[in-house]
Each structure stands twice: as structure tokens, then as C-alpha cells.
């Protein structure tokens, strides 16, 4: 029920806000002010999913995390004129907002350093080395070295795509879009549209078993026994069936983890095609398809230049195996962290990010290799913060976690692997004793997540 007070402002309660959660009637609150996003959601650059997951709530912390200062000016057009009467802010949210404001005053979000220039130059040099190794050399060793370099190229190119998906790394948005398509679609064969669709949802619902797509790997992996109940993925809108096939594979997942990572790239290729050829609405579908066509032109041609089929096989295998390092890194950051069921909530943004992430400790000279993502909590709290600043802000984030009794876990690469394997092993042993439902699922169904 709307109320009016002496200050001539119209008020609704938090409970009233929750009722505006249906198509055509989608409301959110930011800093206690209520906005109607029913129409805006269709053109939201970050996609509909991230808004729908927080609809009917105060989303201030998430809004601060994902949006530049210029986004605040657009809110007025969406205003309902209502304010939240019982609006409250937790102490951790107050501190988080102060921290974000301080970073803005210091210009950290706008000062991007030369990381992009260095990385693009490195990628170009590696691509030239790969061409030389394949086309100008005849020894098998040279071809294998070229394959390893190609794998490293894919890793570094993915970091460029990742950065450009979170903030503008180039001089303007048009060049930034070009960098996305070049580093993602053209060089790695993975659609930037697919990445943004899944990655934004992952950031928002970090380590939610049913809302975070980055944890939904049935029938190959399961990090929690809750997957044994054949839960419904709220992201893919389909049931994740835990059948005998899934139970068998998961029972040995602590053994298959590293081998599967070596072929993880194949799944990303499949997911890209499933999205781009699905009926879902995809932004710039044509450009994404064109970029993928570029990749599937130069990569097969390059491989075909090798003299024998065994050399071609091992070239592809070696390049895929090197990129497994990146797939492993992504899983180390989350598989062994805390998980939960249900949608994300606007009121515990900091808490959920701290619980669902693990940092990887390393020396500063290795920052280039990890692409800044070793500071996973810092990145999740401030996804728009250029990676050159993540090491600087880490002590501040750690201090805030300590103040509010929140976990701040920074493990060595070895420790993170041990934690991850231990998590997979625990679930594997439990899977062997799980109930055995009727067979409905095959490996293909896990890949065919788009319907």
C-alpha cells in the first residue's frame, strides 16, 4: 500500500516492492528509490537474467558493482516516484559503498594502465610465432612448441575478452566491441555473446547451485550432494537429471577432473554453437557468427598445413591441454568455496561474493599469467576495476572482510588444487551411495543446455 507523508514523498514498504515481480510489472529499488524496469529490461546491456534474478529487491550494491557513474543519470527516466519506507542498510553494505566511492575518487576505475596494449602486442607476437612454427619449420618439436604457444595465446586472448566484457578497455565503445569479437570469436572460437550471457549471471548469483551456470556441470561434475536431487537449473530452465550415467561419472570425478579440463574447450565450442543457433534473442548474432566463421577458417587451415595426421592430432591436443590451465584456474576460484541454494539477494552482496570465491596467491610477476583473476574476490566485488589495480586493493578488501568476520581465502596454486580435488572426492564418494533414479539423461543432454 502506498503512503504519503508530510515531506510529500510517496512510500511503499519492502514487502510491497516484492509484489512487483511479474512480467510487465518489474520494480527494483536503488538507494531506497523505486524504479520500474519493465520495459528497460528488454534493452539492458547486461541482459535480462541479471535483473530478473534481483527483481522486487533493493539492488544498490549490485548496481554499484556493475555500472559506471554515467548509469546513474539514466535512472530518473525509470523512477516510479516511490521511496522505500523501511529502507535499511547493513554495516557491511555501508562500508562496501564507501570503499567503491573512494576507489572512484582515486580514479581507479578510469585509470587502466597499459595492460591491454601489452597483452594485445603479446598475442600478436605469439600468433606470428605460431605461424612461423607451423609454416616455416619442419621438425615435430617445433610444431609442438607452436601448439603450446597457441594454447597460451588463447589464454591471454580470453583475458582480453573478459576485460572488455566488464569495462571499456579501448578508447571508445566501438573499438571495445571490436576487441571483444577479435579476442573472443575470431581468435578463440568462443562467442563473446555466450560469455556475457553466462558470465553476468555467474557474477550476480556467485555459487548459487541452481542459479549460477558455472557450477552446473551435470553429468560430469558435481560440487554438492544437492545436485543428486535432480534440481532444476533456474539459468537454463531445465532439470539437471542425476541419473545412473551422471552418478557413474561423478563417482570418479576426482580422477577425471584434469583429463576433462584438457578437453574443456570442446564444450565451450559446443555451447557457442548451441546459443548462436538457438531461438534465444542474441545481441549481434550476425557479428558473432561472422567472428566464429573467421576462427573456423584459419584454425583448420593452420592445422591442415602440418604434414601428417598424427602431427595434426597432437598439435590440437597440445594446444587444448595448455588452455586447460585456464579452465582449471576458473574452477579453482569457485569449486571449493561455499555454495547455497536459491536466487541471489540484494541485501547480502558482499557476503555472498566473499563466501563464493577463492583467491590464488602468487608473486606479482605472475599477474600476467592469471589475468588478474587470481584476485577473484576483488574482481567479483569490483568487476569494472581494471586488473592492474586488483593487487593494490586486495589488502583493503581483506581488512574489510576481517572487520565483518567474513572469509578471505587466498591459497597457493597447489593448495587450491588440493581443496578442489578434496571437494570433488567428497561428492564422488557420496554419489556412489546415492539413490538411482530412472535413466533420462545422456552426456549430450548436458551439452544441449539451450533447448
Amino acid at each position: 500500500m502506498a503512503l504519503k507523508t508530510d515531506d510529500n514523498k510517496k512510500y511503499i514498504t519492502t514487502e510491497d516492492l516484492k509484489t512487483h515481480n511479474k512480467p510487465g510489472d518489474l520494480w527494483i529499488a536503488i538507494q531506497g528509490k523505486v524504479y520500474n524496469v519493465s520495459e528497460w529490461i528488454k534493452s539492458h546491456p547486461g541482459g535480462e537474467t541479471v535483473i530478473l534474478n534481483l527483481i522486487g529487491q533493493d539492488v544498490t550494491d549490485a548496481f554499484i558493482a556493475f555500472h559506471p557513474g554515467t548509469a546513474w543519470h539514466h535512472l530518473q527516466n525509470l523512477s516510479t516516484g516511490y521511496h522505500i519506507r523501511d529502507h535499511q542498510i547493513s554495516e557491511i553494505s555501508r562500508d562496501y559503498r564507501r570503499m567503491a566511492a573512494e576507489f572512484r575518487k582515486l580514479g581507479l576505475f578510469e585509470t587502466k594502465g597499459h595492460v591491454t596494449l601489452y597483452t594485445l602486442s603479446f598475442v600478436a607476437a605469439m600468433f606470428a610465432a605460431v605461424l612461423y612454427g607451423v609454416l616455416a619449420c619442419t621438425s615435430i618439436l617445433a610444431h609442438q612448441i607452436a601448439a603450446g604457444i597457441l594454447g597460451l595465446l588463447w589464454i591471454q586472448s580470453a583475458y582480453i575478452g573478459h576485460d572488455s566484457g566488464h569495462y571499456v578497455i579501448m578508447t571508445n565503445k566501438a573499438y571495445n566491441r571490436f576487441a571483444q569479437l577479435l579476442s573472443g570469436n575470431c581468435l578463440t572460437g568462443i562467442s563473446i555473446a555466450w560469455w556475457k550471457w553466462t558470465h553476468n549471471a555467474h557474477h550476480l548469483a556467485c555459487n548459487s547451485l541452481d542459479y549460477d551456470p558455472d557450477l552446473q556441470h551435470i553429468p560430469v561434475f558435481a560440487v554438492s550432494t544437492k545436485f543428486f536431487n535432480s534440481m532444476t537449473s533456474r539459468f537454463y530452465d531445465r532439470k539437471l537429471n542425476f541419473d545412473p550415467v551422471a552418478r557413474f561419472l561423478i563417482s570418479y570425478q576426482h580422477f577425471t577432473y584434469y583429463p576433462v579440463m584438457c578437453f574443456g574447450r570442446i564444450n565451450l565450442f559446443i555451447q557457442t554453437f548451441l546459443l548462436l543457433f538457438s531461438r534465444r534473442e542474441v545481441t549481434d548474432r550476425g557479428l558473432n557468427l561472422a567472428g566464429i566463421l573467421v576462427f573456423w577458417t584459419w584454425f583448420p587451415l593452420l592445422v591442415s598445413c602440418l604434414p601428417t595426421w598424427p602431427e595434426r592430432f597432437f598439435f590440437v591436443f597440445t594446444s587444448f591441454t595448455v588452455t586447460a590451465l585456464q579452465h582449471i584456474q576458473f574452477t579453482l576460484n569457485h569449486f571449493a568455496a561455499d555454495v547455497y541454494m536459491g536466487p541471489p539477494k540484494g541485501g547480502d552482496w558482499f557476503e555472498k561474493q566473499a563466501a563464493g570465491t577463492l583467491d590464488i596467491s602468487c608473486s606479482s610477476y605472475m599477474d600476467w599469467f592469471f589475468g588478474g583473476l587470481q584476485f577473484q574476490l576483488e574482481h567479483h566485488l569490483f568487476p569494472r576495476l581494471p586488473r592492474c589495480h586488483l593487487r593494490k586493493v586486495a589488502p583493503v578488501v581483506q581488512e574489510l572482510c576481517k572487520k565483518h568476520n567474513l572469509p578471505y581465502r587466498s591459497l597457493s596454486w597447489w593448495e587450491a588444487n588440493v581443496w578442489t580435488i578434496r571437494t570433488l572426492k567428497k561428492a564422488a564418494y557420496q554419489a556412489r551411495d546415492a539413490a538411482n533414479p530412472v535413466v533420462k539423461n545422456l552426456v549430450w543432454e548436458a551439452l544441449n543446455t539451450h533447448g
Side-chain angles (χ1 to χ4, degrees), residues 104-262:
R104 277 196 300 273
K105 288 179 183 176
L106 293 173
L108 298 187
F109 293 102
E110 305 304 323
T111 308
K112 300 162 188 174
H114 301 293
V115 173
T116 301
L117 175 62
Y118 295 153
T119 307
L120 285 174
S121 299
F122 187 32
V123 167
M126 286 190 289
F127 195 72
V130 171
L131 293 178
Y132 180 82
V134 171
L135 302 178
C137 299
T138 56
S139 74
I140 296 177
L141 178 59
H143 295 160
Q144 284 297 291
I145 291 174
I149 294 173
L150 180 59
L152 185 58
L153 181 156
W154 282 336
I155 290 175
Q156 293 299 315
S157 189
Y159 290 145
I160 289 290
H162 176 267
D163 290 349
S164 63
H166 279 299
Y167 56 91
V168 178
I169 63 173
M170 308 298 280
T171 55
N172 59 53
K173 290 183 178 180
Y175 288 139
N176 194 71
R177 186 65 180 150
F178 175 75
Q180 290 177 345
L181 292 168
L182 175 65
S183 60
N185 300 50
C186 298
L187 287 180
T188 70
I190 299 170
S191 168
I192 192 67
W194 170 83
W195 176 86
K196 291 178 74 173
W197 178 52
T198 58
H199 195 68
N200 287 340
H202 158 67
H203 263 268
L204 193 71
C206 179
N207 271 33
S208 166
L209 294 175
D210 48 342
Y211 280 80
D212 183 354
D214 282 12
L215 290 187
Q216 297 171 0
H217 301 295
I218 297 289
V220 182
F221 296 131
V223 298
S224 169
T225 56
K226 289 185 172 64
F227 282 112
F228 302 167
N229 298 321
S230 296
M231 72 171 66
T232 297
S233 166
R234 301 301 176 184
F235 178 79
Y236 293 117
D237 194 26
R238 60 180 292 273
K239 197 170 184 180
L240 303 174
N241 287 309
F242 182 71
D243 58 30
V245 173
R247 185 172 65 143
F248 174 78
L249 293 174
I250 291 168
S251 294
Y252 299 95
Q253 62 182 355
H254 51 304
F255 294 119
T256 61
Y257 171 67
Y258 294 112
V260 167
M261 291 296 106
C262 292

Side-chain angles (χ1 to χ4, degrees), residues 398-426:
Q398 185 174 7
E399 204 53 41
L400 187 56
C401 288
K402 183 178 180 181
K403 175 183 176 181
H404 292 281
N405 251 350
L406 296 173
Y408 183 92
R409 293 160 294 201
S410 184
L411 309 176
S412 69
W413 175 265
W414 173 260
E415 289 172 327
N417 276 269
V418 170
W419 280 39
T420 298
I421 294 298
R422 186 170 60 206
T423 298
L424 295 174
K425 185 177 181 180
K426 181 180 178 181

Side-chain angles (χ1 to χ4, degrees), residues 266-311:
I266 296 174
N267 182 48
L268 300 184
F269 292 152
I270 294 173
Q271 294 295 337
T272 285
F273 281 112
L274 288 175
L275 176 64
L276 295 183
F277 288 100
S278 72
R279 295 180 180 178
R280 295 181 184 273
E281 187 173 333
V282 179
T283 303
D284 294 332
R285 189 192 300 266
L287 285 175
N288 274 269
L289 285 170
I292 296 301
L293 179 61
V294 170
F295 174 82
W296 287 108
T297 299
W298 74 259
F299 182 55
L301 281 175
L302 180 70
V303 174
S304 70
C305 292
L306 295 168
T308 65
W309 278 106
E311 279 200 55

